[in-house]
Amino acid sequence: MTTAAVDPRTSRAPAGLGWLTGLRGGLAVLPLAGLCAGLSAEALGRPDIAAWAWTLPTLAVLAVLALQVVTSLARGDVGLDLVALLSMGGALALSQPLAGVVIALMYAGGQSLEAYASGRAGRAMTALLARQPRSALREDSSGVREVPIESLAPGDRILVRVGDVLPVDGRVAAGRAILDQATLTGEALPVTFEANASVLSGTVNVGAPFTLLAERRAAESTYAGIVRLVEAARTQKAPMARLADRYGLAFLGLTLMLAGGAWAATGDPLRALAVLVVATPCPLILAVPVALISGLSRAAGIGVIIKGGGALEKLARVRVLVVDKTGTLTHGTARLTAVDRLGPVAEQDVLRLAASLDQASGHPTARALVDAALARGLTLTQPTQVAEVPGEGVSGLVAGRPVRVGGPRTMRAHGIPFPETDAVRNADAVAATVLVAVDGRPAAILSFADPVRTDGGRTLADLRRCGIRRVVLATGDRRSVAQALIAGLPIDALAADLDPAGKTQVVARERGQGLVMMVGDGVNDAPALAAADLGVALGARGAAAAAEAADVVLLVDSLAPLPDAIRIARRARAIALQSVLVGLGLSLAGMVAAALGYLTPLRGALLQEVIDVAVILNAMRALGGPMTAPASDADESARPAQRPRAVP
């Protein structure tokens, strides 16, 4: 079985030959019918009819193959289709119609097997593309109207019915949402989102209808970005596949030399035909893309989009991890961790007044305070006479009471002295400290932090078991904050107070330790992601620039799927190499046997197909199997966590 001009990495025909894709799917029917008719005629004593029954379908398959070869040559692609062309043409020229129709059947059947294998391997990626919604129900003053998702804008209210796919990113405006996120994140159970919670496009409503408040346009939403990533992953060609193409040319030359040598040495053209028939490019041309696409699809099933086979190969070989803190090891959002009350105002009242005022501010800490107050069930009031100085603080009236929220400088500027408490003295150890004044007097000191994810340490340890030998934390935060945060984590080195250029320099320095993987989620991480050997972005809540610069995108807001993705990549790469080596070894052995006269063209065709089927089925093993780290990697990663060394 040889490969056609249709690229097995994408299962799509070249431009202008789309009709060939449908034709080759039913091409096997002709030689199969001809083979059966010819065998029947032979049994009835009519060899003349049998010869025509075998010759005509072979000519039909030969014509399709010739067109594909000419098209490939016009693109400058010299492929192993030439071997199939020569073997079929040679069989007819040497009056071997039975061998010719068997070769035609094996070729056409091989195309069907290849198409099935590629489709089976890419099923999870295809499922992601198939779920993209085309329209949505927008609520307005006149009622509910169905509109194209391209017309949705931030602020639109969208009715999401049971079974609907969310068309854009947004928040639950009314009702409660129960969403199935399995296609995006691999999470098996539906997740409940209360009012005002953020939800992602591409998830499915499996609960009661609710109203979605759009926050992004469709083209800017999470699912649209995922669709673009999947399309890119399906079309990119892996280095291993390019290497297989180069080896394929060498294999073609070796095949022709061996066939010509056998003919010249024995004077028997059937020896040359037998060599051509048994020569199979499947271990080179089909096994590699089938195994890699299987790995890509399996990774997509756990919420990891890998942009092509090249990125998957690198993921299998990474040895150094450079990771950003904010949004990666941490959640990337401030959380209220402590309330140090100073005056007579009760803690709940301080939070209610401060959060009511902060509703008018767009600062991330203000948003965190509002979320904390709502989480405690507090009822917020609309503030009036609001005045904000960006980066300094905000003031206004809440239920007639003057409230001011900000830092020490803004409080001193307005003559509101705050005492030197432990919360103020330890300000460097937390992400942010916010002062609250009510009625012109100190009321409370609020401490905010961006804590390490609960699975952070476990994930880093799991990454070490996957073969990551060195972990470096690269962050723009203050060193004191970063050191306090990562105490006890298995991190080898810390680089703090970095700008985007500084993170890029860290990546460049670490290349001496091995293949570098950079993980980040913000716009400021994009240069480092692009500079690394492999960039990994958190796409669920990360910046679009980071996702575009990265080679791998995690659809969940966590590093947890990354170790399994590495194991999937390693297994897929190992299976691809195994298929190539074993398949080529069997093919070469069969070619030598044919050259020595031990195989006839007919037997060679049957042997060739057995090898092809075995190689493709072996490559499809990448779709399953255990995701366990090699023992050597586990041994190395078992060392205890060390105190991180500072990177200059």
Side-chain angles (χ1 to χ4, degrees):
M1 178 178 66
T2 60
T3 182
V6 177
D7 190 341
R9 287 168 294 272
T10 62
S11 297
R12 288 199 292 265
L17 287 180
W19 60 275
L20 282 176
T21 303
L23 179 61
R24 72 169 185 158
L27 199 60
V29 175
L30 289 177
L32 178 61
L35 178 62
C36 294
L39 291 175
S40 299
E42 187 77 21
L44 295 174
R46 296 298 304 271
D48 55 331
I49 296 178
W52 280 109
W54 293 330
T55 300
L56 291 177
T58 303
L59 288 172
V61 175
L62 193 61
V64 174
L65 177 57
L67 180 58
Q68 292 175 337
V69 169
V70 170
T71 304
S72 298
L73 291 175
R75 298 197 315 268
D77 182 10
V78 182
L80 288 171
D81 294 332
L82 286 172
V83 175
L85 189 67
L86 292 173
S87 61
M88 269 187 269
L92 295 180
L94 296 175
S95 300
Q96 298 287 321
L98 177 57
V101 76
V102 170
I103 297 168
L105 178 60
M106 297 306 165
Y107 169 80
Q111 301 308 297
S112 300
L113 178 60
E114 173 198 340
Y116 168 77
S118 293
R120 173 78 172 82
R123 185 174 297 174
M125 300 175 75
T126 302
L128 282 172
L129 297 177
R131 296 165 64 92
Q132 188 174 19
R134 301 283 182 248
S135 62
L137 298 176
R138 183 168 60 193
E139 300 176 351
D140 54 29
S141 56
S142 61
V144 177
R145 291 185 303 157
E146 185 171 4
V147 298
I149 63 170
E150 292 80 9
S151 65
L152 297 176
D156 284 349
R157 296 174 66 88
I158 303 161
L159 176 62
V160 183
R161 301 167 300 185
V162 178
D164 282 354
V165 177
L166 272 63
V168 294
D169 295 346
R171 291 182 176 273
V172 179
R176 185 177 67 168
I178 302 177
L179 302 180
D180 179 1
Q181 303 182 112
T183 302
L184 292 187
T185 67
E187 190 167 2
L189 299 177
V191 180
T192 301
F193 295 87
E194 302 295 340
N196 204 42
S198 297
V199 290
L200 297 178
S201 57
T203 53
V204 180
N205 181 24
V206 295
F210 70 95
T211 299
L212 172 70
L213 180 64
E215 291 188 330
R216 294 183 182 178
R217 295 186 180 277
E220 301 167 353
S221 290
T222 299
Y223 198 63
I226 291 171
V227 169
R228 290 191 294 269
L229 296 175
V230 171
E231 288 288 5
R234 288 163 63 116
T235 56
Q236 287 190 8
K237 192 173 185 178
M240 190 182 291
R242 290 192 290 267
L243 185 65
D245 290 343
R246 292 197 296 270
Y247 284 164
L249 293 178
F251 189 77
L252 174 60
L254 177 63
T255 299
L256 296 178
M257 288 177 58
L258 191 58
W263 189 356
T266 63
D268 184 2
L270 290 179
R271 294 269 187 107
L273 178 61
V275 172
L276 293 175
V277 168
V278 80
T280 171
C282 279
L284 286 171
I285 300 300
L286 297 184
V288 169
V290 167
L292 296 184
I293 291 174
S294 297
L296 296 177
S297 183
R298 192 178 183 194
I302 63 170
V304 181
I305 297 297
I306 303 174
K307 297 183 184 178
L312 184 136
E313 287 186 52
K314 289 181 181 178
L315 184 61
R317 297 186 293 117
V318 292
R319 288 295 178 266
V320 180
L321 170 63
V322 178
V323 60
D324 175 53
K325 178 185 75 68
T326 305
T328 306
L329 285 181
T330 66
H331 292 274
T333 56
R335 296 188 178 185
L336 181 65
T337 57
V339 179
D340 188 8
R341 191 165 61 88
L342 301 177
V345 184
E347 179 177 315
Q348 294 291 81
D349 290 335
V350 169
L351 288 179
R352 178 179 56 80
L353 293 170
S356 295
L357 177 61
D358 264 353
Q359 291 179 107
S361 174
H363 194 278
T365 305
R367 183 72 199 176
L369 177 56
V370 172
D371 289 343
L374 292 175
R376 298 191 182 195
L378 301 179
T379 302
L380 304 186
T381 304
Q382 191 69 24
T384 59
Q385 300 182 27
V386 176
E388 182 175 13
V389 178
E392 296 292 336
V394 60
S395 63
L397 296 178
V398 178
R401 303 182 69 176
V403 180
R404 186 175 300 275
V405 178
R409 183 162 56 185
T410 191
M411 294 301 175
R412 286 195 300 267
H414 291 85
I416 306 175
F418 271 73
E420 186 75 7
T421 65
D422 289 340
V424 175
R425 284 190 293 270
N426 297 330
D428 281 344
V430 296
T433 298
V434 175
L435 310 181
V436 180
V438 178
D439 299 328
R441 293 188 296 273
I445 300 174
L446 310 181
S447 297
F448 292 84
D450 187 11
V452 174
R453 297 171 185 268
T454 55
D455 61 350
R458 183 172 62 252
T459 301
L460 290 177
D462 203 5
L463 285 168
R464 286 198 181 276
R465 286 191 290 272
C466 290
I468 299 297
R469 299 170 182 166
R470 179 172 168 83
V471 180
V472 179
L473 177 65
T475 178
D477 282 354
R478 301 186 305 273
R479 181 172 298 278
S480 58
V481 173
Q483 285 179 329
L485 194 73
I486 65 173
L489 294 180
I491 292 176
D492 298 291
L494 167 64
D497 301 301
L498 298 176
D499 57 11
K503 292 182 181 181
T504 303
Q505 291 170 3
V506 171
V507 168
R509 283 198 300 267
E510 292 299 326
R511 278 211 172 92
Q513 305 286 336
L515 209 65
V516 177
M517 173 172 64
M518 169 69 189
V519 181
D521 76 330
V523 173
N524 62 334
D525 297 323
L529 290 171
D533 296 299
L534 184 79
V536 179
L538 271 70
R541 276 283 166 255
E548 292 297 329
D551 304 292
V552 178
V553 178
L554 307 180
L555 302 184
V556 293
D557 193 23
S558 168
L559 291 180
L562 190 55
D564 282 343
I566 292 177
R567 295 182 181 112
I568 289 171
R570 289 190 169 185
R571 177 175 169 81
R573 185 173 184 270
I575 287 174
L577 288 173
Q578 179 190 75
S579 297
V580 167
L581 295 177
V582 173
L584 280 184
L586 292 174
S587 295
L588 289 172
M591 291 164 61
V592 171
L596 295 176
Y598 293 110
L599 289 176
T600 65
L602 180 58
R603 291 175 181 174
L606 296 175
L607 175 63
Q608 182 264 102
E609 187 62 16
V610 170
I611 295 173
D612 291 349
V613 171
V615 165
I616 288 182
L617 293 179
N618 182 67
M620 289 185 68
R621 290 192 302 116
L623 280 172
M627 291 185 291
T628 56
S632 59
D633 295 337
D635 293 342
E636 180 180 348
S637 65
R639 65 179 189 220
Q642 303 177 21
R643 181 179 178 85
R645 180 179 61 84
V647 175

